[in-house]
PDB file of all heavy atoms in Angstrom:
ATOM      1  N   HIS A  51      13.570   9.389  -0.129  1.00 94.00           N
ATOM      2  CA  HIS A  51      13.870   7.983   0.139  1.00 94.00           C
ATOM      3  C   HIS A  51      14.463   7.819   1.543  1.00 94.00           C
ATOM      4  O   HIS A  51      14.538   6.712   2.067  1.00 94.00           O
ATOM      5  CB  HIS A  51      14.859   7.487  -0.925  1.00 94.00           C
ATOM      6  CG  HIS A  51      15.127   6.017  -0.887  1.00 94.00           C
ATOM      7  ND1 HIS A  51      14.180   5.068  -0.558  1.00 94.00           N
ATOM      8  CD2 HIS A  51      16.254   5.315  -1.166  1.00 94.00           C
ATOM      9  CE1 HIS A  51      14.730   3.864  -0.630  1.00 94.00           C
ATOM     10  NE2 HIS A  51      15.982   3.985  -0.982  1.00 94.00           N
ATOM     11  N   ASP A  68      12.221   3.443   8.795  1.00 80.00           N
ATOM     12  CA  ASP A  68      12.799   2.216   8.234  1.00 80.00           C
ATOM     13  C   ASP A  68      11.719   1.289   7.684  1.00 80.00           C
ATOM     14  O   ASP A  68      11.965   0.552   6.726  1.00 80.00           O
ATOM     15  CB  ASP A  68      13.709   1.513   9.248  1.00 80.00           C
ATOM     16  CG  ASP A  68      13.038   1.330  10.583  1.00 80.00           C
ATOM     17  OD1 ASP A  68      12.128   2.124  10.891  1.00 80.00           O
ATOM     18  OD2 ASP A  68      13.400   0.401  11.312  1.00 80.00           O
ATOM     19  N   ARG A  71      10.990   2.738   4.315  1.00 87.00           N
ATOM     20  CA  ARG A  71      12.039   2.435   3.333  1.00 87.00           C
ATOM     21  C   ARG A  71      11.946   0.987   2.844  1.00 87.00           C
ATOM     22  O   ARG A  71      12.266   0.684   1.705  1.00 87.00           O
ATOM     23  CB  ARG A  71      13.422   2.731   3.924  1.00 87.00           C
ATOM     24  CG  ARG A  71      14.561   2.467   2.983  1.00 87.00           C
ATOM     25  CD  ARG A  71      15.525   3.624   2.785  1.00 87.00           C
ATOM     26  NE  ARG A  71      15.762   4.396   3.983  1.00 87.00           N
ATOM     27  CZ  ARG A  71      16.701   4.121   4.870  1.00 87.00           C
ATOM     28  NH1 ARG A  71      17.473   3.057   4.706  1.00 87.00           N
ATOM     29  NH2 ARG A  71      16.880   4.896   5.907  1.00 87.00           N
ATOM     30  N   ILE A  82      23.982   0.810 -10.131  1.00 96.00           N
ATOM     31  CA  ILE A  82      24.968   0.129  -9.295  1.00 96.00           C
ATOM     32  C   ILE A  82      24.772  -1.375  -9.475  1.00 96.00           C
ATOM     33  O   ILE A  82      23.724  -1.914  -9.153  1.00 96.00           O
ATOM     34  CB  ILE A  82      24.769   0.499  -7.813  1.00 96.00           C
ATOM     35  CG1 ILE A  82      24.865   2.014  -7.637  1.00 96.00           C
ATOM     36  CG2 ILE A  82      25.801  -0.225  -6.938  1.00 96.00           C
ATOM     37  CD1 ILE A  82      24.516   2.492  -6.241  1.00 96.00           C
ATOM     38  N   LEU A  84      25.922  -5.196  -8.559  1.00 97.00           N
ATOM     39  CA  LEU A  84      26.716  -6.053  -7.687  1.00 97.00           C
ATOM     40  C   LEU A  84      27.646  -6.885  -8.571  1.00 97.00           C
ATOM     41  O   LEU A  84      27.282  -7.234  -9.686  1.00 97.00           O
ATOM     42  CB  LEU A  84      25.807  -6.987  -6.884  1.00 97.00           C
ATOM     43  CG  LEU A  84      24.852  -6.312  -5.906  1.00 97.00           C
ATOM     44  CD1 LEU A  84      23.880  -7.341  -5.333  1.00 97.00           C
ATOM     45  CD2 LEU A  84      25.622  -5.648  -4.778  1.00 97.00           C
ATOM     46  N   ARG A  85      28.839  -7.186  -8.077  1.00 95.00           N
ATOM     47  CA  ARG A  85      29.780  -7.980  -8.879  1.00 95.00           C
ATOM     48  C   ARG A  85      29.350  -9.438  -8.853  1.00 95.00           C
ATOM     49  O   ARG A  85      30.011 -10.301  -8.277  1.00 95.00           O
ATOM     50  CB  ARG A  85      31.191  -7.836  -8.311  1.00 95.00           C
ATOM     51  CG  ARG A  85      31.693  -6.398  -8.342  1.00 95.00           C
ATOM     52  CD  ARG A  85      33.100  -6.330  -7.834  1.00 95.00           C
ATOM     53  NE  ARG A  85      33.551  -4.955  -7.647  1.00 95.00           N
ATOM     54  CZ  ARG A  85      34.727  -4.623  -7.132  1.00 95.00           C
ATOM     55  NH1 ARG A  85      35.554  -5.575  -6.752  1.00 95.00           N
ATOM     56  NH2 ARG A  85      35.062  -3.363  -6.976  1.00 95.00           N
ATOM     57  N   ARG A  86      28.209  -9.666  -9.441  1.00 95.00           N
ATOM     58  CA  ARG A  86      27.633 -11.004  -9.491  1.00 95.00           C
ATOM     59  C   ARG A  86      26.934 -11.151 -10.838  1.00 95.00           C
ATOM     60  O   ARG A  86      26.911 -10.222 -11.620  1.00 95.00           O
ATOM     61  CB  ARG A  86      26.586 -11.169  -8.374  1.00 95.00           C
ATOM     62  CG  ARG A  86      27.140 -10.880  -7.001  1.00 95.00           C
ATOM     63  CD  ARG A  86      26.073 -11.026  -5.933  1.00 95.00           C
ATOM     64  NE  ARG A  86      26.663 -10.776  -4.621  1.00 95.00           N
ATOM     65  CZ  ARG A  86      26.074 -11.047  -3.478  1.00 95.00           C
ATOM     66  NH1 ARG A  86      24.866 -11.583  -3.462  1.00 95.00           N
ATOM     67  NH2 ARG A  86      26.674 -10.793  -2.346  1.00 95.00           N
ATOM     68  N   TYR A  94      19.061 -10.700  -5.282  1.00 98.00           N
ATOM     69  CA  TYR A  94      19.585 -10.092  -4.055  1.00 98.00           C
ATOM     70  C   TYR A  94      18.538  -9.424  -3.150  1.00 98.00           C
ATOM     71  O   TYR A  94      18.466  -9.745  -1.965  1.00 98.00           O
ATOM     72  CB  TYR A  94      20.711  -9.119  -4.411  1.00 98.00           C
ATOM     73  CG  TYR A  94      21.448  -8.560  -3.221  1.00 98.00           C
ATOM     74  CD1 TYR A  94      22.320  -9.353  -2.477  1.00 98.00           C
ATOM     75  CD2 TYR A  94      21.257  -7.239  -2.819  1.00 98.00           C
ATOM     76  CE1 TYR A  94      22.994  -8.847  -1.380  1.00 98.00           C
ATOM     77  CE2 TYR A  94      21.924  -6.725  -1.723  1.00 98.00           C
ATOM     78  CZ  TYR A  94      22.792  -7.530  -1.007  1.00 98.00           C
ATOM     79  OH  TYR A  94      23.451  -7.025   0.085  1.00 98.00           O
ATOM     80  N   LEU A  98      17.518 -10.727   0.791  1.00 96.00           N
ATOM     81  CA  LEU A  98      17.654  -9.884   1.983  1.00 96.00           C
ATOM     82  C   LEU A  98      16.451 -10.022   2.906  1.00 96.00           C
ATOM     83  O   LEU A  98      16.584  -9.920   4.118  1.00 96.00           O
ATOM     84  CB  LEU A  98      17.819  -8.411   1.587  1.00 96.00           C
ATOM     85  CG  LEU A  98      19.134  -8.002   0.936  1.00 96.00           C
ATOM     86  CD1 LEU A  98      19.085  -6.530   0.553  1.00 96.00           C
ATOM     87  CD2 LEU A  98      20.310  -8.268   1.867  1.00 96.00           C
ATOM     88  N   PRO A 126      27.992 -11.916 -15.996  1.00 95.00           N
ATOM     89  CA  PRO A 126      28.322 -11.002 -14.903  1.00 95.00           C
ATOM     90  C   PRO A 126      27.718  -9.624 -15.150  1.00 95.00           C
ATOM     91  O   PRO A 126      27.933  -9.046 -16.211  1.00 95.00           O
ATOM     92  CB  PRO A 126      29.847 -10.933 -14.922  1.00 95.00           C
ATOM     93  CG  PRO A 126      30.305 -11.669 -16.122  1.00 95.00           C
ATOM     94  CD  PRO A 126      29.183 -12.413 -16.716  1.00 95.00           C
TER      95      PRO A 126
ATOM     96  N   GLU B 129      31.565   1.605  -4.062  1.00 95.00           N
ATOM     97  CA  GLU B 129      30.726   1.198  -5.188  1.00 95.00           C
ATOM     98  C   GLU B 129      29.332   0.791  -4.728  1.00 95.00           C
ATOM     99  O   GLU B 129      28.326   1.138  -5.332  1.00 95.00           O
ATOM    100  CB  GLU B 129      31.421  -0.003  -5.846  1.00 95.00           C
ATOM    101  CG  GLU B 129      31.072  -0.282  -7.276  1.00 95.00           C
ATOM    102  CD  GLU B 129      31.909  -1.470  -7.776  1.00 95.00           C
ATOM    103  OE1 GLU B 129      33.156  -1.433  -7.626  1.00 95.00           O
ATOM    104  OE2 GLU B 129      31.322  -2.441  -8.290  1.00 95.00           O
ATOM    105  N   TYR B 130      29.243   0.065  -3.627  1.00 96.00           N
ATOM    106  CA  TYR B 130      27.976  -0.531  -3.190  1.00 96.00           C
ATOM    107  C   TYR B 130      27.168   0.346  -2.238  1.00 96.00           C
ATOM    108  O   TYR B 130      25.980   0.108  -2.038  1.00 96.00           O
ATOM    109  CB  TYR B 130      28.251  -1.853  -2.458  1.00 96.00           C
ATOM    110  CG  TYR B 130      28.546  -3.041  -3.349  1.00 96.00           C
ATOM    111  CD1 TYR B 130      28.761  -2.885  -4.715  1.00 96.00           C
ATOM    112  CD2 TYR B 130      28.583  -4.326  -2.816  1.00 96.00           C
ATOM    113  CE1 TYR B 130      29.029  -3.973  -5.512  1.00 96.00           C
ATOM    114  CE2 TYR B 130      28.845  -5.427  -3.615  1.00 96.00           C
ATOM    115  CZ  TYR B 130      29.069  -5.249  -4.960  1.00 96.00           C
ATOM    116  OH  TYR B 130      29.316  -6.331  -5.745  1.00 96.00           O
ATOM    117  N   SER B 136      20.101   1.907   0.398  1.00 95.00           N
ATOM    118  CA  SER B 136      18.760   1.995  -0.168  1.00 95.00           C
ATOM    119  C   SER B 136      17.953   0.725   0.098  1.00 95.00           C
ATOM    120  O   SER B 136      16.754   0.778   0.359  1.00 95.00           O
ATOM    121  CB  SER B 136      18.858   2.238  -1.677  1.00 95.00           C
ATOM    122  OG  SER B 136      17.627   1.984  -2.296  1.00 95.00           O
ATOM    123  N   ASN B 138      18.057  -1.027   2.577  1.00 92.00           N
ATOM    124  CA  ASN B 138      17.778  -1.176   3.994  1.00 92.00           C
ATOM    125  C   ASN B 138      18.467  -2.390   4.613  1.00 92.00           C
ATOM    126  O   ASN B 138      17.898  -3.078   5.463  1.00 92.00           O
ATOM    127  CB  ASN B 138      16.263  -1.308   4.208  1.00 92.00           C
ATOM    128  CG  ASN B 138      15.805  -0.456   5.361  1.00 92.00           C
ATOM    129  OD1 ASN B 138      16.591   0.293   5.934  1.00 92.00           O
ATOM    130  ND2 ASN B 138      14.546  -0.572   5.718  1.00 92.00           N
ATOM    131  N   GLN B 143      24.249  -7.948   7.040  1.00 92.00           N
ATOM    132  CA  GLN B 143      24.070  -8.230   5.616  1.00 92.00           C
ATOM    133  C   GLN B 143      25.095  -7.472   4.777  1.00 92.00           C
ATOM    134  O   GLN B 143      25.612  -7.986   3.794  1.00 92.00           O
ATOM    135  CB  GLN B 143      22.653  -7.834   5.178  1.00 92.00           C
ATOM    136  CG  GLN B 143      21.589  -8.778   5.713  1.00 92.00           C
ATOM    137  CD  GLN B 143      20.181  -8.268   5.451  1.00 92.00           C
ATOM    138  OE1 GLN B 143      19.940  -7.066   5.412  1.00 92.00           O
ATOM    139  NE2 GLN B 143      19.245  -9.181   5.282  1.00 92.00           N
ATOM    140  N   THR B 147      27.806  -9.283   2.407  1.00 93.00           N
ATOM    141  CA  THR B 147      27.818  -8.960   0.979  1.00 93.00           C
ATOM    142  C   THR B 147      29.209  -8.511   0.538  1.00 93.00           C
ATOM    143  O   THR B 147      29.733  -8.974  -0.484  1.00 93.00           O
ATOM    144  CB  THR B 147      26.803  -7.843   0.668  1.00 93.00           C
ATOM    145  OG1 THR B 147      25.505  -8.282   1.072  1.00 93.00           O
ATOM    146  CG2 THR B 147      26.772  -7.518  -0.814  1.00 93.00           C
ATOM    147  N   ASP B 151      31.447 -10.606  -2.076  1.00 93.00           N
ATOM    148  CA  ASP B 151      31.781 -10.048  -3.384  1.00 93.00           C
ATOM    149  C   ASP B 151      33.248  -9.627  -3.472  1.00 93.00           C
ATOM    150  O   ASP B 151      33.777  -9.466  -4.554  1.00 93.00           O
ATOM    151  CB  ASP B 151      30.856  -8.874  -3.710  1.00 93.00           C
ATOM    152  CG  ASP B 151      29.452  -9.353  -4.056  1.00 93.00           C
ATOM    153  OD1 ASP B 151      29.177 -10.558  -3.865  1.00 93.00           O
ATOM    154  OD2 ASP B 151      28.640  -8.540  -4.506  1.00 93.00           O
ATOM    155  N   GLU B 229      39.303 -11.210 -11.568  1.00 68.00           N
ATOM    156  CA  GLU B 229      38.655 -10.027 -10.999  1.00 68.00           C
ATOM    157  C   GLU B 229      38.534  -8.938 -12.072  1.00 68.00           C
ATOM    158  O   GLU B 229      37.483  -8.361 -12.269  1.00 68.00           O
ATOM    159  CB  GLU B 229      39.503  -9.516  -9.818  1.00 68.00           C
ATOM    160  CG  GLU B 229      38.942  -8.314  -9.115  1.00 68.00           C
ATOM    161  CD  GLU B 229      37.946  -8.695  -8.034  1.00 68.00           C
ATOM    162  OE1 GLU B 229      37.656  -9.901  -7.894  1.00 68.00           O
ATOM    163  OE2 GLU B 229      37.448  -7.793  -7.363  1.00 68.00           O
ATOM    164  N   TRP B 234      32.912 -14.770 -13.156  1.00 52.00           N
ATOM    165  CA  TRP B 234      32.511 -15.257 -11.843  1.00 52.00           C
ATOM    166  C   TRP B 234      32.286 -16.747 -11.874  1.00 52.00           C
ATOM    167  O   TRP B 234      31.533 -17.225 -12.670  1.00 52.00           O
ATOM    168  CB  TRP B 234      31.242 -14.545 -11.391  1.00 52.00           C
ATOM    169  CG  TRP B 234      31.576 -13.237 -10.817  1.00 52.00           C
ATOM    170  CD1 TRP B 234      31.833 -12.949  -9.521  1.00 52.00           C
ATOM    171  CD2 TRP B 234      31.726 -12.005 -11.521  1.00 52.00           C
ATOM    172  NE1 TRP B 234      32.123 -11.635  -9.373  1.00 52.00           N
ATOM    173  CE2 TRP B 234      32.078 -11.028 -10.556  1.00 52.00           C
ATOM    174  CE3 TRP B 234      31.613 -11.645 -12.849  1.00 52.00           C
ATOM    175  CZ2 TRP B 234      32.298  -9.708 -10.898  1.00 52.00           C
ATOM    176  CZ3 TRP B 234      31.833 -10.340 -13.183  1.00 52.00           C
ATOM    177  CH2 TRP B 234      32.174  -9.373 -12.218  1.00 52.00           C
TER     178      TRP B 234
END
Side-chain angles (χ1 to χ4, degrees):
Chain A
H51 187 35
D68 50 334
R71 181 127 37 88
I82 303 173
L84 296 172
R85 299 183 189 176
R86 304 179 178 192
Y94 187 72
L98 289 177
Chain B
E129 202 177 308
Y130 281 10
S136 165
N138 224 5
Q143 288 172 329
T147 301
D151 287 9
E229 181 86 356
W234 278 269

